[in-house]
Amino acid sequence: MNRITHRSRAAALALTLAALPVAAAGTAWAAPAPTAAPQTTYTAHITQTAPTAPSSPTALTSPTTPASPAAQSAQTAQTAAVSADPRAAGLALPRPTGPFAVGRDTLHLVDRHRPDPWVPTAKVRELMVTTYFPARPGTGRPARYATTEEVRLMLEGTELDDIPAEKVSSTATHSREHARPLHGRYPLVVLSPGFSVSRYTVTALAEDIASRGYVVAAVDHAYESAGTAFPGGRMLTCLACDKVKTLEDIKYAAEGRAKDVSFVLDRLTGPNPAWPHAGLIDTKRIGMVGHSLGGASAVPAMATDRRITAGVNMDGTFGSPVPASGLNGRPFMLLGTDDETHRPGGEDKTWDEAWSRFDGWKRWLTVAGSDHFTFTDIPALSDQLDRPGPKPPLTGARSADITRAYVGAFFDQHLRRIPQPLLDGPSGANPEVKFHDPAPTSHR
């Protein structure tokens, strides 16, 4: 089973979004969606000066230890701000678990040295990137989840166009535009979404990682989503969707994303960075996580860019295999569905091959009751709605809890060097999560 094709994505999304309601007068969802607040968008070709990193970075508080009074104050202020947001009466993402308030900026990056891999007439490769970062509490204004047109195109592509796109697009988030960053030096995590869906579908994970004390760069890859808004009023749609049909096509797409990620790192950590707050990034601590194709792309990204020191694949088929020589001892985690696809010896043979080639710390986890979109925002949003229809056995709340706990623990252990017992083996608190070790090694 190919877990990233447009057709399988549509079927999975149809299942998990079956609970979304049609707007009706007199229901809890009848209130009109608010006008979207304008987002701050920085363009890569405008030179901007990154702030100088402070000489005394703010100490990071581990989510596994009591938060400092300042961090508690930040969380309280963030909670109050979200509660005051009129969108909070409708759909809302799960609240971040870390102690820090979260800021958010939007970047438009243009690689003028590489043509677009899907549109030969496009002489440049364009990306949209949302950065999430620890912020000063009470600054900025609530960030909108997505534009209505982006959501409409996603729903239309899955034959769910009877669902009011404005209800989903106005989902309350827990990050804030124009927020002032909290001074410090933070690890960077690059986040890549599934094929044919946009970066906004992993917003809850991005916000949670940032709330733990990280900078997160969530990337939209041009022409690889149902609809992504670009500057100039352009909406780029999934021209790649009809072209990715075989494992070789997946390899081409994954390796293209690896190039995208390296370019993002260049523009965030190199000279004359595209983001004004790039001084927050600790360039020696960089990881990558993604869903579906985004997760599978972590391997070619790590294989070609030594700056990425740790990776996570959430339920993606490895079209681009792990090199036979491994990843130079760098840690990697597999997090997938507990079904015939991603258990050891399952239908997706690329996971077994990848596991045999990982040459550093590694974990293979599957989640009982999950489906392909468990690791995104979709189950959490679906759970808040009451339209009749089939739902995965795992609730949206548990989906969010498990995904954020294990991904957060992975990066805390490997980018912040904080030991995480959660990753040592099965936990009574998380009976859905199964640990697999088909080929025991000394790297556990």
Coordinates of all heavy atoms in Angstrom, one line a residue, residues 42-51 107-110 263-279 281 283:
Y42 N 7.8 37.5 5.2 CA 9.1 38.0 4.8 C 9.5 37.3 3.6 O 9.3 36.1 3.4 CB 10.1 37.7 5.9 CG 9.7 38.3 7.3 CD1 9.1 37.5 8.2 CD2 10.0 39.6 7.6 CE1 8.8 38.0 9.5 CE2 9.7 40.1 8.8 CZ 9.1 39.3 9.8 OH 8.7 39.8 11.0
T43 N 10.0 38.0 2.6 CA 10.5 37.4 1.4 C 12.0 37.3 1.4 O 12.7 38.1 1.9 CB 10.1 38.3 0.1 OG1 10.5 39.6 0.3 CG2 8.6 38.3 -0.1
A44 N 12.5 36.1 0.9 CA 13.9 35.8 1.0 C 14.8 36.8 0.2 O 15.9 36.9 0.6 CB 14.1 34.4 0.5
H45 N 14.2 37.4 -0.8 CA 15.1 38.2 -1.6 C 15.2 39.6 -1.1 O 15.9 40.5 -1.7 CB 14.6 38.2 -3.1 CG 13.2 38.6 -3.2 ND1 12.2 37.7 -3.2 CD2 12.6 39.8 -3.5 CE1 11.0 38.3 -3.3 NE2 11.3 39.6 -3.5
I46 N 14.5 39.9 0.0 CA 14.7 41.2 0.7 C 15.7 41.0 1.8 O 15.5 40.2 2.7 CB 13.4 41.8 1.3 CG1 12.4 42.0 0.1 CG2 13.6 43.0 2.1 CD1 11.1 42.5 0.6
T47 N 16.8 41.7 1.8 CA 17.9 41.5 2.8 C 17.4 42.0 4.1 O 16.9 43.1 4.3 CB 19.2 42.3 2.4 OG1 19.6 41.8 1.1 CG2 20.2 42.0 3.4
Q48 N 17.5 41.1 5.1 CA 17.1 41.5 6.5 C 18.3 41.1 7.4 O 19.0 40.1 7.2 CB 15.8 40.7 6.9 CG 14.7 40.9 5.9 CD 13.4 41.1 6.5 OE1 13.3 41.7 7.6 NE2 12.4 40.7 5.9
T49 N 18.4 41.9 8.5 CA 19.5 41.6 9.4 C 19.0 40.8 10.6 O 18.0 41.2 11.3 CB 20.1 42.9 9.9 OG1 20.5 43.7 8.8 CG2 21.2 42.7 10.9
A50 N 19.6 39.7 10.9 CA 19.2 38.9 12.0 C 19.7 39.5 13.3 O 20.8 40.1 13.4 CB 19.7 37.5 11.9
P51 N 18.9 39.5 14.4 CA 19.4 40.0 15.7 C 20.5 39.3 16.2 O 20.7 38.1 16.0 CB 18.1 39.9 16.6 CG 17.4 38.8 16.0 CD 17.6 38.8 14.5
L107 N 7.3 33.0 6.0 CA 8.4 33.3 5.1 C 8.1 32.8 3.7 O 7.5 31.7 3.5 CB 9.7 32.7 5.5 CG 10.2 32.9 6.9 CD1 11.5 32.1 7.2 CD2 10.5 34.4 7.1
H108 N 8.4 33.6 2.7 CA 8.3 33.1 1.3 C 9.8 33.0 0.8 O 10.5 34.0 0.7 CB 7.6 34.2 0.4 CG 7.6 33.9 -1.0 ND1 7.8 34.9 -2.0 CD2 7.5 32.7 -1.7 CE1 7.8 34.3 -3.2 NE2 7.6 33.0 -3.1
L109 N 10.2 31.8 0.6 CA 11.6 31.6 0.1 C 11.7 31.2 -1.3 O 10.9 30.4 -1.8 CB 12.3 30.5 1.0 CG 12.3 30.7 2.5 CD1 13.0 29.5 3.2 CD2 12.9 32.0 2.9
V110 N 12.6 31.8 -2.0 CA 12.8 31.6 -3.5 C 14.2 31.1 -3.8 O 15.2 31.8 -3.5 CB 12.5 32.8 -4.3 CG1 12.6 32.5 -5.8 CG2 11.1 33.4 -3.9
F263 N 17.8 24.0 1.4 CA 17.7 25.4 1.0 C 17.1 26.2 2.2 O 17.6 27.3 2.5 CB 16.9 25.6 -0.2 CG 16.7 27.0 -0.6 CD1 17.7 27.8 -1.0 CD2 15.4 27.6 -0.5 CE1 17.5 29.1 -1.4 CE2 15.2 28.9 -0.8 CZ 16.2 29.7 -1.3
V264 N 16.1 25.6 2.9 CA 15.6 26.3 4.0 C 16.6 26.5 5.1 O 16.7 27.6 5.7 CB 14.4 25.5 4.6 CG1 13.9 26.0 6.0 CG2 13.2 25.5 3.6
L265 N 17.4 25.5 5.3 CA 18.5 25.6 6.3 C 19.5 26.7 5.9 O 20.0 27.5 6.8 CB 19.2 24.3 6.5 CG 18.4 23.2 7.1 CD1 19.2 21.9 7.3 CD2 17.7 23.6 8.4
D266 N 19.8 26.7 4.6 CA 20.7 27.8 4.2 C 20.2 29.2 4.5 O 20.9 30.1 4.9 CB 20.9 27.7 2.6 CG 21.7 26.4 2.2 OD1 22.4 25.9 3.1 OD2 21.7 26.1 1.1
R267 N 18.9 29.4 4.2 CA 18.3 30.7 4.4 C 18.0 31.0 5.8 O 17.8 32.2 6.2 CB 17.0 30.8 3.5 CG 17.2 30.6 2.1 CD 18.2 31.6 1.5 NE 17.6 32.9 1.4 CZ 18.2 34.0 2.1 NH1 19.2 33.8 2.8 NH2 17.6 35.2 2.0
L268 N 17.9 30.0 6.7 CA 17.7 30.3 8.1 C 19.0 30.4 8.9 O 19.0 31.1 10.0 CB 16.8 29.2 8.7 CG 15.3 29.2 8.3 CD1 14.6 28.1 9.0 CD2 14.6 30.5 8.5
T269 N 20.0 29.7 8.5 CA 21.2 29.7 9.3 C 22.4 30.2 8.6 O 23.5 30.3 9.2 CB 21.5 28.2 9.7 OG1 21.9 27.4 8.6 CG2 20.3 27.6 10.4
G270 N 22.4 30.6 7.3 CA 23.5 31.1 6.6 C 23.6 32.6 6.7 O 22.9 33.3 7.5
P271 N 24.6 33.2 6.0 CA 24.7 34.7 6.0 C 23.5 35.4 5.4 O 22.8 34.8 4.6 CB 26.0 34.9 5.1 CG 26.0 33.7 4.2 CD 25.5 32.5 5.0
N272 N 23.2 36.5 5.9 CA 22.0 37.3 5.5 C 20.7 36.5 5.5 O 20.1 36.3 4.5 CB 22.2 37.9 4.1 CG 23.4 38.8 4.0 OD1 23.6 39.7 4.9 ND2 24.2 38.7 3.0
P273 N 20.4 35.9 6.7 CA 19.2 35.0 6.8 C 17.9 35.7 6.4 O 17.8 36.9 6.6 CB 19.2 34.6 8.2 CG 20.0 35.6 9.0 CD 21.0 36.1 8.0
A274 N 17.0 34.9 5.9 CA 15.7 35.4 5.4 C 14.8 35.8 6.6 O 13.9 36.6 6.4 CB 15.0 34.4 4.6
W275 N 15.0 35.3 7.8 CA 14.2 35.5 8.9 C 14.8 36.4 9.9 O 15.9 36.2 10.3 CB 13.8 34.2 9.6 CG 12.9 34.2 10.7 CD1 11.7 34.9 10.8 CD2 13.0 33.5 11.9 NE1 11.1 34.7 12.0 CE2 11.8 33.8 12.7 CE3 13.9 32.5 12.5 CZ2 11.6 33.2 14.0 CZ3 13.6 32.0 13.7 CH2 12.5 32.3 14.5
P276 N 14.2 37.5 10.3 CA 14.8 38.5 11.2 C 15.2 38.0 12.5 O 16.1 38.5 13.2 CB 13.7 39.6 11.3 CG 12.7 39.4 10.3 CD 12.8 38.0 9.8
H277 N 14.6 36.8 13.0 CA 14.9 36.3 14.3 C 15.8 35.1 14.2 O 15.8 34.2 15.1 CB 13.6 35.9 15.0 CG 12.6 37.0 15.1 ND1 12.9 38.3 15.5 CD2 11.3 37.1 14.8 CE1 11.9 39.1 15.5 NE2 10.9 38.4 15.1
A278 N 16.5 34.9 13.1 CA 17.4 33.8 12.9 C 18.4 33.6 14.0 O 18.9 32.5 14.2 CB 18.0 33.8 11.5
G279 N 18.7 34.6 14.7 CA 19.7 34.5 15.8 C 19.2 33.6 16.9 O 20.0 33.3 17.8
I281 N 18.3 30.6 16.5 CA 18.6 29.2 16.1 C 20.0 28.8 16.6 O 21.0 29.4 16.3 CB 18.4 29.0 14.6 CG1 17.0 29.3 14.2 CG2 18.8 27.6 14.2 CD1 16.7 29.3 12.7
T283 N 22.6 26.5 15.5 CA 22.8 25.8 14.3 C 23.5 24.4 14.5 O 23.6 23.7 13.5 CB 23.7 26.7 13.4 OG1 25.0 26.9 14.0 CG2 23.0 28.0 13.0

